Amino acid sequence: MTAVALDIRAGRSGGYPAGPSTLSRFFSGRMFRQNAIESMGESARLYGDLVHYTIFGRHIYQLNHPELIEDLLLKDANKHHRGIVMQRAKIVLGEGLLTSEEPLHMRQRRLAQPAFLRQRIEAYGEVIGKNAAAISQSWRSGSVHDVHGDMLELALRIVGKCLFDLDVQSQQEVKKVSAAVDAFMGFLPLAILPFSEQIQRLPLPAMKRIRKGQADLDAMIYGMIAERRRVPGDRGDLLSMLLEAVDTEGSTGRMSDQQVHDECLTIMLAGHETTANALSFALWLMAKHPEMQTRVHEEAREVLGDRAATADDYARLPYATQLFSETLRLYPPVWVIARTCFQPYEIAGYAIPKGAILLASQFVVHRDSRFYPEPLRFDPERFAKEDARLRPRFAFFPFAAGSRQCIGEGLAWMEGVLSVATIARAWRLTSPPGAGAEIALNPSISLRPKFGVPLLVERRN
């Protein structure tokens, strides 16, 4: 591993690292959500590895170096709560894995972990392979198709079957969940505003959409829970495990319907949205780089032949894995991690006060030229084993780390690699006439393609 020295710069006023003024951020528009990615990237370039500024009187610290990020996620993890957005997202997600704090979070993780063990994930491989092949059957060869919607449906089918033994086939079900996800993503601008809790009580259109999506998903999930209570048994999915798990630290020994609901809702919303976005960006990048798409196609033809992919194929698709890794580097669905300091401490000699927000952006660090030469160039070879070993561990952290590391990381990798290989085996993807050189981004709670991903799809012989 090649070490890169920290670049810490003092601010104009004592006691804080360097960073932009509030006025400059406001008048340039950089403090608003749509400009967040550009703003954080510019701050890293101008002010170094530890940046300080304020928003509505709250101290914000942006960490831009793998060493600082490792401390944030591992060594100093017990000094933080979740960020403001996740704290306020409890209005939608309840006390699920994304929003709960310790010690509840660790108990929940322990109860859910068995569903994501290697042997369980291997059983999901065939579901991934079959659904990835089936989802493109509606494509008309030679037409321009928005593949983002299909990737959302694909990811929903997979998470529904693998985690809840639910066959999500009807367009009505897909639209319900998609509308709920869209409403939840629209919650972000409200969550970061002052007086957010009061605003959420107002009869705003955004809150009405959130409540409608919440009601639809509640009906679906509580219906599944009630049916399983009537006919108990292990169906090999997350829901079975949560209902059968014994919570030795809880008051009843079993998870309540509310607890099970909150975990299911969290995984359904977060699990399908982020993977669908990653797959959409991967297909767009393959369309932009036909020579790399050809390599994935040839590898898939050799490994899969004409059959559906299974878990055994995952380790036999190294180039598809590298391509998916490079996609996660350039377009990480979880593009920023936020923490709230509740126990004052120091970073690089600077005091971090209680209530301060700490940010670590995957999007910024993944595009840092100190760790990735020509960082904007799409190059899956960066993730060949010998190259990856030269970088600091936290120069690449798409799934975070520590106690908050994504519990579904193993499933996400298998879903991404097998789906990319399956689609590239059967279809040639190209950019349609008039398409821009770059894809517009929507940095919401997850990083999404702003206007979908229209591609020209052609079936291979």
PDB file of all heavy atoms in Angstrom, residues 297-324:
ATOM      1  N   HIS A 297     -19.016  -9.414 -22.333  1.00  0.00           N
ATOM      2  CA  HIS A 297     -19.818 -10.335 -23.145  1.00  0.00           C
ATOM      3  C   HIS A 297     -19.074 -11.646 -23.387  1.00  0.00           C
ATOM      4  O   HIS A 297     -19.640 -12.734 -23.203  1.00  0.00           O
ATOM      5  CB  HIS A 297     -20.164  -9.680 -24.483  1.00  0.00           C
ATOM      6  CG  HIS A 297     -20.676 -10.627 -25.512  1.00  0.00           C
ATOM      7  ND1 HIS A 297     -21.943 -11.176 -25.455  1.00  0.00           N
ATOM      8  CD2 HIS A 297     -20.080 -11.159 -26.627  1.00  0.00           C
ATOM      9  CE1 HIS A 297     -22.110 -11.988 -26.484  1.00  0.00           C
ATOM     10  NE2 HIS A 297     -21.002 -11.992 -27.210  1.00  0.00           N
ATOM     11  N   GLU A 298     -17.827 -11.550 -23.796  1.00  0.00           N
ATOM     12  CA  GLU A 298     -17.058 -12.759 -24.093  1.00  0.00           C
ATOM     13  C   GLU A 298     -16.837 -13.591 -22.839  1.00  0.00           C
ATOM     14  O   GLU A 298     -16.918 -14.832 -22.887  1.00  0.00           O
ATOM     15  CB  GLU A 298     -15.724 -12.364 -24.730  1.00  0.00           C
ATOM     16  CG  GLU A 298     -15.887 -11.782 -26.140  1.00  0.00           C
ATOM     17  CD  GLU A 298     -14.592 -11.251 -26.699  1.00  0.00           C
ATOM     18  OE1 GLU A 298     -13.606 -11.125 -25.935  1.00  0.00           O
ATOM     19  OE2 GLU A 298     -14.548 -10.936 -27.922  1.00  0.00           O
ATOM     20  N   GLU A 299     -16.560 -12.939 -21.718  1.00  0.00           N
ATOM     21  CA  GLU A 299     -16.387 -13.675 -20.466  1.00  0.00           C
ATOM     22  C   GLU A 299     -17.687 -14.367 -20.073  1.00  0.00           C
ATOM     23  O   GLU A 299     -17.683 -15.539 -19.659  1.00  0.00           O
ATOM     24  CB  GLU A 299     -15.952 -12.703 -19.373  1.00  0.00           C
ATOM     25  CG  GLU A 299     -15.737 -13.353 -18.010  1.00  0.00           C
ATOM     26  CD  GLU A 299     -15.326 -12.339 -16.961  1.00  0.00           C
ATOM     27  OE1 GLU A 299     -16.197 -11.552 -16.504  1.00  0.00           O
ATOM     28  OE2 GLU A 299     -14.137 -12.303 -16.581  1.00  0.00           O
ATOM     29  N   ALA A 300     -18.806 -13.668 -20.223  1.00  0.00           N
ATOM     30  CA  ALA A 300     -20.098 -14.247 -19.862  1.00  0.00           C
ATOM     31  C   ALA A 300     -20.456 -15.421 -20.763  1.00  0.00           C
ATOM     32  O   ALA A 300     -20.990 -16.441 -20.299  1.00  0.00           O
ATOM     33  CB  ALA A 300     -21.183 -13.170 -19.926  1.00  0.00           C
ATOM     34  N   ARG A 301     -20.176 -15.304 -22.067  1.00  0.00           N
ATOM     35  CA  ARG A 301     -20.460 -16.410 -22.981  1.00  0.00           C
ATOM     36  C   ARG A 301     -19.645 -17.639 -22.611  1.00  0.00           C
ATOM     37  O   ARG A 301     -20.152 -18.773 -22.638  1.00  0.00           O
ATOM     38  CB  ARG A 301     -20.130 -15.991 -24.421  1.00  0.00           C
ATOM     39  CG  ARG A 301     -21.113 -15.025 -25.041  1.00  0.00           C
ATOM     40  CD  ARG A 301     -22.472 -15.633 -25.267  1.00  0.00           C
ATOM     41  NE  ARG A 301     -22.407 -16.847 -26.097  1.00  0.00           N
ATOM     42  CZ  ARG A 301     -23.394 -17.705 -26.241  1.00  0.00           C
ATOM     43  NH1 ARG A 301     -24.541 -17.502 -25.587  1.00  0.00           N
ATOM     44  NH2 ARG A 301     -23.275 -18.763 -27.010  1.00  0.00           N
ATOM     45  N   GLU A 302     -18.383 -17.416 -22.251  1.00  0.00           N
ATOM     46  CA  GLU A 302     -17.513 -18.536 -21.907  1.00  0.00           C
ATOM     47  C   GLU A 302     -17.942 -19.202 -20.601  1.00  0.00           C
ATOM     48  O   GLU A 302     -17.951 -20.436 -20.497  1.00  0.00           O
ATOM     49  CB  GLU A 302     -16.073 -18.049 -21.781  1.00  0.00           C
ATOM     50  CG  GLU A 302     -15.086 -19.153 -21.420  1.00  0.00           C
ATOM     51  CD  GLU A 302     -13.654 -18.646 -21.328  1.00  0.00           C
ATOM     52  OE1 GLU A 302     -13.391 -17.497 -21.765  1.00  0.00           O
ATOM     53  OE2 GLU A 302     -12.806 -19.383 -20.806  1.00  0.00           O
ATOM     54  N   VAL A 303     -18.316 -18.409 -19.612  1.00  0.00           N
ATOM     55  CA  VAL A 303     -18.636 -18.949 -18.286  1.00  0.00           C
ATOM     56  C   VAL A 303     -20.065 -19.471 -18.215  1.00  0.00           C
ATOM     57  O   VAL A 303     -20.323 -20.552 -17.678  1.00  0.00           O
ATOM     58  CB  VAL A 303     -18.412 -17.873 -17.201  1.00  0.00           C
ATOM     59  CG1 VAL A 303     -18.927 -18.346 -15.837  1.00  0.00           C
ATOM     60  CG2 VAL A 303     -16.937 -17.506 -17.114  1.00  0.00           C
ATOM     61  N   LEU A 304     -21.009 -18.715 -18.765  1.00  0.00           N
ATOM     62  CA  LEU A 304     -22.426 -19.057 -18.611  1.00  0.00           C
ATOM     63  C   LEU A 304     -22.976 -19.900 -19.739  1.00  0.00           C
ATOM     64  O   LEU A 304     -23.940 -20.655 -19.531  1.00  0.00           O
ATOM     65  CB  LEU A 304     -23.266 -17.772 -18.496  1.00  0.00           C
ATOM     66  CG  LEU A 304     -22.895 -16.782 -17.381  1.00  0.00           C
ATOM     67  CD1 LEU A 304     -23.823 -15.571 -17.433  1.00  0.00           C
ATOM     68  CD2 LEU A 304     -22.957 -17.447 -16.020  1.00  0.00           C
ATOM     69  N   GLY A 305     -22.410 -19.772 -20.935  1.00  0.00           N
ATOM     70  CA  GLY A 305     -23.012 -20.451 -22.073  1.00  0.00           C
ATOM     71  C   GLY A 305     -24.405 -19.902 -22.299  1.00  0.00           C
ATOM     72  O   GLY A 305     -24.607 -18.697 -22.345  1.00  0.00           O
ATOM     73  N   ASP A 306     -25.379 -20.796 -22.397  1.00  0.00           N
ATOM     74  CA  ASP A 306     -26.762 -20.369 -22.610  1.00  0.00           C
ATOM     75  C   ASP A 306     -27.646 -20.558 -21.375  1.00  0.00           C
ATOM     76  O   ASP A 306     -28.855 -20.390 -21.442  1.00  0.00           O
ATOM     77  CB  ASP A 306     -27.383 -21.161 -23.775  1.00  0.00           C
ATOM     78  CG  ASP A 306     -26.710 -20.845 -25.102  1.00  0.00           C
ATOM     79  OD1 ASP A 306     -26.363 -19.663 -25.306  1.00  0.00           O
ATOM     80  OD2 ASP A 306     -26.522 -21.774 -25.910  1.00  0.00           O
ATOM     81  N   ARG A 307     -27.046 -20.911 -20.271  1.00  0.00           N
ATOM     82  CA  ARG A 307     -27.853 -21.166 -19.060  1.00  0.00           C
ATOM     83  C   ARG A 307     -27.904 -19.927 -18.168  1.00  0.00           C
ATOM     84  O   ARG A 307     -27.146 -18.969 -18.352  1.00  0.00           O
ATOM     85  CB  ARG A 307     -27.260 -22.334 -18.273  1.00  0.00           C
ATOM     86  CG  ARG A 307     -25.848 -22.094 -17.817  1.00  0.00           C
ATOM     87  CD  ARG A 307     -25.299 -23.202 -16.927  1.00  0.00           C
ATOM     88  NE  ARG A 307     -23.898 -22.966 -16.612  1.00  0.00           N
ATOM     89  CZ  ARG A 307     -23.485 -22.091 -15.705  1.00  0.00           C
ATOM     90  NH1 ARG A 307     -24.355 -21.378 -15.013  1.00  0.00           N
ATOM     91  NH2 ARG A 307     -22.185 -21.923 -15.468  1.00  0.00           N
ATOM     92  N   ALA A 308     -28.800 -19.979 -17.181  1.00  0.00           N
ATOM     93  CA  ALA A 308     -28.905 -18.882 -16.219  1.00  0.00           C
ATOM     94  C   ALA A 308     -27.719 -18.908 -15.262  1.00  0.00           C
ATOM     95  O   ALA A 308     -27.209 -19.983 -14.906  1.00  0.00           O
ATOM     96  CB  ALA A 308     -30.212 -19.000 -15.436  1.00  0.00           C
ATOM     97  N   ALA A 309     -27.281 -17.739 -14.853  1.00  0.00           N
ATOM     98  CA  ALA A 309     -26.171 -17.641 -13.913  1.00  0.00           C
ATOM     99  C   ALA A 309     -26.575 -18.161 -12.539  1.00  0.00           C
ATOM    100  O   ALA A 309     -27.743 -18.092 -12.143  1.00  0.00           O
ATOM    101  CB  ALA A 309     -25.727 -16.185 -13.793  1.00  0.00           C
ATOM    102  N   THR A 310     -25.596 -18.700 -11.813  1.00  0.00           N
ATOM    103  CA  THR A 310     -25.805 -19.154 -10.442  1.00  0.00           C
ATOM    104  C   THR A 310     -24.687 -18.592  -9.566  1.00  0.00           C
ATOM    105  O   THR A 310     -23.730 -17.987 -10.065  1.00  0.00           O
ATOM    106  CB  THR A 310     -25.796 -20.688 -10.341  1.00  0.00           C
ATOM    107  OG1 THR A 310     -24.462 -21.169 -10.620  1.00  0.00           O
ATOM    108  CG2 THR A 310     -26.780 -21.320 -11.316  1.00  0.00           C
ATOM    109  N   ALA A 311     -24.784 -18.832  -8.273  1.00  0.00           N
ATOM    110  CA  ALA A 311     -23.778 -18.318  -7.344  1.00  0.00           C
ATOM    111  C   ALA A 311     -22.389 -18.854  -7.658  1.00  0.00           C
ATOM    112  O   ALA A 311     -21.384 -18.160  -7.435  1.00  0.00           O
ATOM    113  CB  ALA A 311     -24.170 -18.666  -5.908  1.00  0.00           C
ATOM    114  N   ASP A 312     -22.302 -20.073  -8.182  1.00  0.00           N
ATOM    115  CA  ASP A 312     -20.990 -20.662  -8.497  1.00  0.00           C
ATOM    116  C   ASP A 312     -20.255 -19.869  -9.574  1.00  0.00           C
ATOM    117  O   ASP A 312     -19.028 -19.944  -9.680  1.00  0.00           O
ATOM    118  CB  ASP A 312     -21.160 -22.113  -8.960  1.00  0.00           C
ATOM    119  CG  ASP A 312     -21.580 -23.037  -7.831  1.00  0.00           C
ATOM    120  OD1 ASP A 312     -21.372 -22.665  -6.655  1.00  0.00           O
ATOM    121  OD2 ASP A 312     -22.136 -24.109  -8.118  1.00  0.00           O
ATOM    122  N   ASP A 313     -20.995 -19.115 -10.383  1.00  0.00           N
ATOM    123  CA  ASP A 313     -20.378 -18.362 -11.473  1.00  0.00           C
ATOM    124  C   ASP A 313     -19.745 -17.057 -10.998  1.00  0.00           C
ATOM    125  O   ASP A 313     -18.925 -16.468 -11.714  1.00  0.00           O
ATOM    126  CB  ASP A 313     -21.424 -18.039 -12.554  1.00  0.00           C
ATOM    127  CG  ASP A 313     -22.010 -19.292 -13.171  1.00  0.00           C
ATOM    128  OD1 ASP A 313     -21.229 -20.195 -13.525  1.00  0.00           O
ATOM    129  OD2 ASP A 313     -23.245 -19.366 -13.291  1.00  0.00           O
ATOM    130  N   TYR A 314     -20.133 -16.602  -9.834  1.00  0.00           N
ATOM    131  CA  TYR A 314     -19.685 -15.284  -9.371  1.00  0.00           C
ATOM    132  C   TYR A 314     -18.160 -15.173  -9.371  1.00  0.00           C
ATOM    133  O   TYR A 314     -17.590 -14.219  -9.918  1.00  0.00           O
ATOM    134  CB  TYR A 314     -20.250 -15.025  -7.971  1.00  0.00           C
ATOM    135  CG  TYR A 314     -19.749 -13.762  -7.320  1.00  0.00           C
ATOM    136  CD1 TYR A 314     -20.016 -12.510  -7.857  1.00  0.00           C
ATOM    137  CD2 TYR A 314     -18.994 -13.825  -6.154  1.00  0.00           C
ATOM    138  CE1 TYR A 314     -19.559 -11.353  -7.254  1.00  0.00           C
ATOM    139  CE2 TYR A 314     -18.532 -12.670  -5.543  1.00  0.00           C
ATOM    140  CZ  TYR A 314     -18.818 -11.439  -6.094  1.00  0.00           C
ATOM    141  OH  TYR A 314     -18.346 -10.304  -5.492  1.00  0.00           O
ATOM    142  N   ALA A 315     -17.486 -16.155  -8.804  1.00  0.00           N
ATOM    143  CA  ALA A 315     -16.020 -16.110  -8.723  1.00  0.00           C
ATOM    144  C   ALA A 315     -15.365 -16.338 -10.083  1.00  0.00           C
ATOM    145  O   ALA A 315     -14.161 -16.092 -10.228  1.00  0.00           O
ATOM    146  CB  ALA A 315     -15.529 -17.152  -7.725  1.00  0.00           C
ATOM    147  N   ARG A 316     -16.132 -16.768 -11.080  1.00  0.00           N
ATOM    148  CA  ARG A 316     -15.584 -17.064 -12.403  1.00  0.00           C
ATOM    149  C   ARG A 316     -15.784 -15.914 -13.384  1.00  0.00           C
ATOM    150  O   ARG A 316     -15.558 -16.074 -14.572  1.00  0.00           O
ATOM    151  CB  ARG A 316     -16.239 -18.336 -12.939  1.00  0.00           C
ATOM    152  CG  ARG A 316     -16.048 -19.559 -12.019  1.00  0.00           C
ATOM    153  CD  ARG A 316     -16.952 -20.709 -12.430  1.00  0.00           C
ATOM    154  NE  ARG A 316     -16.690 -21.142 -13.805  1.00  0.00           N
ATOM    155  CZ  ARG A 316     -17.590 -21.701 -14.589  1.00  0.00           C
ATOM    156  NH1 ARG A 316     -18.845 -21.861 -14.148  1.00  0.00           N
ATOM    157  NH2 ARG A 316     -17.277 -22.080 -15.809  1.00  0.00           N
ATOM    158  N   LEU A 317     -16.207 -14.766 -12.856  1.00  0.00           N
ATOM    159  CA  LEU A 317     -16.453 -13.596 -13.698  1.00  0.00           C
ATOM    160  C   LEU A 317     -15.599 -12.418 -13.215  1.00  0.00           C
ATOM    161  O   LEU A 317     -16.118 -11.369 -12.803  1.00  0.00           O
ATOM    162  CB  LEU A 317     -17.942 -13.227 -13.651  1.00  0.00           C
ATOM    163  CG  LEU A 317     -18.909 -14.254 -14.248  1.00  0.00           C
ATOM    164  CD1 LEU A 317     -20.336 -13.976 -13.790  1.00  0.00           C
ATOM    165  CD2 LEU A 317     -18.824 -14.235 -15.776  1.00  0.00           C
ATOM    166  N   PRO A 318     -14.274 -12.562 -13.275  1.00  0.00           N
ATOM    167  CA  PRO A 318     -13.406 -11.518 -12.709  1.00  0.00           C
ATOM    168  C   PRO A 318     -13.501 -10.171 -13.414  1.00  0.00           C
ATOM    169  O   PRO A 318     -13.443  -9.122 -12.769  1.00  0.00           O
ATOM    170  CB  PRO A 318     -11.999 -12.108 -12.831  1.00  0.00           C
ATOM    171  CG  PRO A 318     -12.107 -13.124 -13.932  1.00  0.00           C
ATOM    172  CD  PRO A 318     -13.484 -13.697 -13.807  1.00  0.00           C
ATOM    173  N   TYR A 319     -13.652 -10.173 -14.745  1.00  0.00           N
ATOM    174  CA  TYR A 319     -13.692  -8.884 -15.429  1.00  0.00           C
ATOM    175  C   TYR A 319     -15.017  -8.169 -15.163  1.00  0.00           C
ATOM    176  O   TYR A 319     -15.043  -6.943 -14.984  1.00  0.00           O
ATOM    177  CB  TYR A 319     -13.471  -9.028 -16.932  1.00  0.00           C
ATOM    178  CG  TYR A 319     -13.245  -7.673 -17.572  1.00  0.00           C
ATOM    179  CD1 TYR A 319     -12.028  -7.009 -17.425  1.00  0.00           C
ATOM    180  CD2 TYR A 319     -14.257  -7.031 -18.287  1.00  0.00           C
ATOM    181  CE1 TYR A 319     -11.821  -5.746 -17.966  1.00  0.00           C
ATOM    182  CE2 TYR A 319     -14.060  -5.775 -18.841  1.00  0.00           C
ATOM    183  CZ  TYR A 319     -12.841  -5.139 -18.675  1.00  0.00           C
ATOM    184  OH  TYR A 319     -12.649  -3.887 -19.202  1.00  0.00           O
ATOM    185  N   ALA A 320     -16.114  -8.915 -15.118  1.00  0.00           N
ATOM    186  CA  ALA A 320     -17.399  -8.297 -14.766  1.00  0.00           C
ATOM    187  C   ALA A 320     -17.334  -7.711 -13.361  1.00  0.00           C
ATOM    188  O   ALA A 320     -17.904  -6.649 -13.091  1.00  0.00           O
ATOM    189  CB  ALA A 320     -18.524  -9.325 -14.863  1.00  0.00           C
ATOM    190  N   THR A 321     -16.611  -8.388 -12.460  1.00  0.00           N
ATOM    191  CA  THR A 321     -16.441  -7.876 -11.098  1.00  0.00           C
ATOM    192  C   THR A 321     -15.629  -6.589 -11.101  1.00  0.00           C
ATOM    193  O   THR A 321     -15.950  -5.623 -10.398  1.00  0.00           O
ATOM    194  CB  THR A 321     -15.759  -8.935 -10.216  1.00  0.00           C
ATOM    195  OG1 THR A 321     -16.535 -10.140 -10.226  1.00  0.00           O
ATOM    196  CG2 THR A 321     -15.626  -8.446  -8.779  1.00  0.00           C
ATOM    197  N   GLN A 322     -14.556  -6.554 -11.894  1.00  0.00           N
ATOM    198  CA  GLN A 322     -13.752  -5.339 -11.988  1.00  0.00           C
ATOM    199  C   GLN A 322     -14.571  -4.184 -12.564  1.00  0.00           C
ATOM    200  O   GLN A 322     -14.477  -3.051 -12.085  1.00  0.00           O
ATOM    201  CB  GLN A 322     -12.524  -5.584 -12.872  1.00  0.00           C
ATOM    202  CG  GLN A 322     -11.476  -6.488 -12.234  1.00  0.00           C
ATOM    203  CD  GLN A 322     -10.346  -6.823 -13.186  1.00  0.00           C
ATOM    204  OE1 GLN A 322      -9.761  -7.904 -13.132  1.00  0.00           O
ATOM    205  NE2 GLN A 322     -10.029  -5.919 -14.094  1.00  0.00           N
ATOM    206  N   LEU A 323     -15.373  -4.474 -13.576  1.00  0.00           N
ATOM    207  CA  LEU A 323     -16.193  -3.422 -14.183  1.00  0.00           C
ATOM    208  C   LEU A 323     -17.220  -2.894 -13.187  1.00  0.00           C
ATOM    209  O   LEU A 323     -17.437  -1.677 -13.094  1.00  0.00           O
ATOM    210  CB  LEU A 323     -16.878  -3.956 -15.434  1.00  0.00           C
ATOM    211  CG  LEU A 323     -17.694  -2.915 -16.206  1.00  0.00           C
ATOM    212  CD1 LEU A 323     -17.454  -3.045 -17.705  1.00  0.00           C
ATOM    213  CD2 LEU A 323     -19.191  -3.034 -15.908  1.00  0.00           C
ATOM    214  N   PHE A 324     -17.831  -3.778 -12.422  1.00  0.00           N
ATOM    215  CA  PHE A 324     -18.808  -3.324 -11.426  1.00  0.00           C
ATOM    216  C   PHE A 324     -18.112  -2.538 -10.318  1.00  0.00           C
ATOM    217  O   PHE A 324     -18.647  -1.544  -9.823  1.00  0.00           O
ATOM    218  CB  PHE A 324     -19.565  -4.521 -10.855  1.00  0.00           C
ATOM    219  CG  PHE A 324     -20.788  -4.138 -10.066  1.00  0.00           C
ATOM    220  CD1 PHE A 324     -21.854  -3.502 -10.681  1.00  0.00           C
ATOM    221  CD2 PHE A 324     -20.869  -4.405  -8.704  1.00  0.00           C
ATOM    222  CE1 PHE A 324     -22.987  -3.131  -9.957  1.00  0.00           C
ATOM    223  CE2 PHE A 324     -21.999  -4.049  -7.973  1.00  0.00           C
ATOM    224  CZ  PHE A 324     -23.058  -3.408  -8.604  1.00  0.00           C
TER     225      PHE A 324
END
